[in-house]
Amino acid sequence: MRGGHRAELGVAAPRIRIGDLVRESALSVLRFPARSLLTALGTVLAAAAFVSTLGLISTLGQQVSSTFDVRRATEVVVRSEDPGLGRHWQGGAALDRLRGLNGVAAAGPRVILAERPVRRLVGFGQAGPGVRIMGADPDTVRAMAPNLLVGRLFGPFDEATAARLVLLPRGIADELGITRTQAAVFVDDQAYTVAGIYDDVLRRPEALQMVLMPFSTANRLAGAESAERDVLIETSPGAAQLIGHQAPLALHPAAPNALRSIAPPDPRALRREIEADVTRSSVLISVLTLIIGTVSIANAATAGVSARRSEIGLRRAVGGRPGLIFAQLVCETTVLGALGGLLGALLGLCVTSAVSLWNAWTPILDLHLAFAAAATCAATGLLAGLIPATRALHVQPVAALQR
């Protein structure tokens, strides 16, 4: 019945409100929940992968940044570029200027000597063919933060008096058969007292292969021989780059270019690079999964049009306009995509929380990502319904009612 004939008979054109359209679409989708869930499985997985991956990236990024700050991003090493520079840049005045810089938590000199025989007793019980010696003042030792098993670290008095004390890493102590402090070891046949034994360091892991002694003691042992020299600086988080630029000038104002400063990269830049790489992979996986979900919904909707030919024909026969039937089918696939997206977003948030709690991390949840994932899945559901809904427009009422 055309519009002019309806007007002559006093019959209004059929209309449907948006709320009724959404309600009827939801009822159609929920009529067979298991089938609807399987149909929307692709969108569920896409939303879950998108939300959980980006949530874990944010959580892990925070953990990586914090760990990097503690382990490496707060360490600066300054070395000499000129072998004839001398030792004054490691002296008290130079170190006082360095320690006065804003952002320096601790700073101290180091000297590393060539390999020397280290024995438990003179003449035998040697720890390997030779062991390198590291001289470090109390500030340097504190910056390296050795994990003591027994004993104590060097103090200012030990440094001032060039005390004959050593700290042994556990590996060397085991080779020498030393398990307690106050034992004596011989370096170049000179006796040194074991002040402590450590098994790990927070900074400068090469110390796990060296014997530590006070800086002044190592200087006296070195005599006039050439040795590796540097200054180890512990900075506040985020200050490493700035201190790396300022330290050579503070240690040797007359010729700062004679010193080379080694500072770690900015942890924020490193975290952004890691996040960008993982985000690209996550988005690619999510897009591929979303495409699969879109095809799944489109196939199910196409099959549904064939199965509902009688229903569509009846609607057309009683005056249902093609536009309303088109809107009905598109709305059904949109609702199916939106429900799949919401379920997937909820699953992604749960996965992020569970993994974070399992690893004792603080989860970072962004609800905007969840809503964005649900909206994207709804949009893909709408696109998936366009072709099936267009096919439904070609269903002839008489042919459908004859089935």
Side-chain angles (χ1 to χ4, degrees):
M1 185 180 295
R2 298 187 180 277
H5 295 161
R6 292 195 188 98
E8 294 175 0
L9 297 175
V11 178
R15 293 183 180 180
I16 186 171
R17 292 177 295 182
I18 298 297
D20 296 333
L21 184 64
V22 174
R23 188 182 307 108
E24 187 172 349
S25 300
L27 291 174
S28 177
V29 169
L30 297 177
R31 186 183 307 163
F32 303 102
R35 186 178 67 184
S36 298
L37 179 61
L38 291 175
T39 302
L41 186 59
T43 57
V44 172
L45 294 178
F50 181 76
V51 173
S52 61
T53 304
L54 293 185
L56 289 174
I57 286 172
S58 299
T59 302
L60 281 172
Q62 187 63 36
Q63 300 300 319
V64 168
S65 183
S66 300
T67 303
F68 192 80
D69 279 346
V70 173
R71 292 282 181 180
R72 292 290 297 168
T74 56
E75 173 187 317
V76 176
V77 177
V78 181
R79 294 174 178 164
S80 171
E81 293 282 89
D82 181 4
L85 185 61
R87 304 180 182 180
H88 62 280
W89 63 278
Q90 288 185 309
L95 291 173
D96 287 342
R97 290 193 298 269
L98 177 63
R99 290 164 182 159
L101 296 177
N102 187 25
V104 174
R110 294 193 313 164
V111 57
I112 300 177
L113 310 182
E115 290 185 352
R116 282 171 162 72
V118 178
R119 302 181 176 91
R120 176 72 183 272
L121 297 174
V122 176
F124 62 92
Q126 182 171 323
V131 179
R132 302 197 76 180
I133 308 298
M134 178 189 294
D137 79 346
D139 280 342
T140 309
V141 174
R142 187 168 66 251
M144 291 191 296
N147 181 46
L148 283 176
L149 299 176
V150 293
R152 66 176 180 86
L153 302 178
F154 305 138
F157 179 79
D158 303 320
E159 178 65 28
T161 59
R164 288 192 175 185
L165 298 175
V166 293
L167 293 173
L168 298 180
R170 184 174 183 175
I172 294 178
D174 289 342
E175 287 187 46
L176 294 172
I178 296 175
T179 59
R180 60 181 179 83
T181 60
Q182 303 305 316
V185 297
F186 291 84
V187 181
D188 282 350
D189 294 333
Q190 298 182 22
Y192 291 80
T193 302
V194 177
I197 300 174
Y198 60 93
D199 64 349
D200 196 11
V201 290
L202 187 64
R203 298 178 181 85
R204 311 316 302 173
E206 65 269 18
L208 295 174
Q209 303 295 326
M210 300 181 184
V211 172
L212 268 66
M213 61 177 58
F215 179 74
S216 56
T217 308
N219 266 333
R220 183 174 296 178
L221 180 63
E225 76 174 60
S226 177
E228 298 178 19
R229 296 182 176 276
D230 60 34
V231 171
L232 178 63
I233 308 170
E234 176 189 357
T235 72
S236 302
Q241 291 289 316
L242 177 62
I243 297 301
H245 290 295
Q246 295 177 345
L249 182 61
L251 291 172
H252 197 0
N257 292 332
L259 300 177
R260 179 167 61 97
S261 178
I262 303 173
D266 186 352
R268 291 172 296 182
L270 177 63
R271 186 177 70 180
R272 283 194 295 267
E273 292 177 5
I274 295 174
E275 288 179 351
D277 292 338
V278 180
T279 300
R280 281 194 294 269
S281 301
S282 167
V283 171
L284 178 60
I285 293 173
S286 299
V287 168
L288 291 176
T289 312
L290 197 59
I291 291 174
I292 294 173
T294 304
V295 173
S296 174
I297 293 176
N299 287 337
T302 301
V305 169
S306 299
R308 297 167 62 183
R309 288 178 65 87
S310 298
E311 175 192 341
I312 296 171
L314 180 60
R315 288 173 180 263
R316 293 286 305 277
V318 298
R321 291 185 299 177
L324 294 179
I325 297 174
F326 180 89
Q328 173 70 35
L329 294 175
V330 170
C331 188
E332 288 181 11
T333 58
T334 303
V335 169
L336 189 61
L339 291 177
L342 288 173
L343 183 60
L346 179 61
L347 180 61
L349 293 176
C350 291
V351 169
T352 302
S353 301
V355 173
S356 300
L357 294 176
W358 178 266
N359 291 280
W361 299 335
T362 301
I364 299 178
L365 304 176
D366 189 351
L367 295 181
H368 294 92
L369 287 178
F371 288 120
T376 302
C377 290
T380 58
L382 186 149
L383 293 175
L386 293 178
I387 294 178
T390 302
R391 289 186 177 182
L393 297 180
H394 300 294
V395 175
Q396 298 299 321
V398 175
L401 292 175
Q402 287 176 347
R403 296 185 56 166

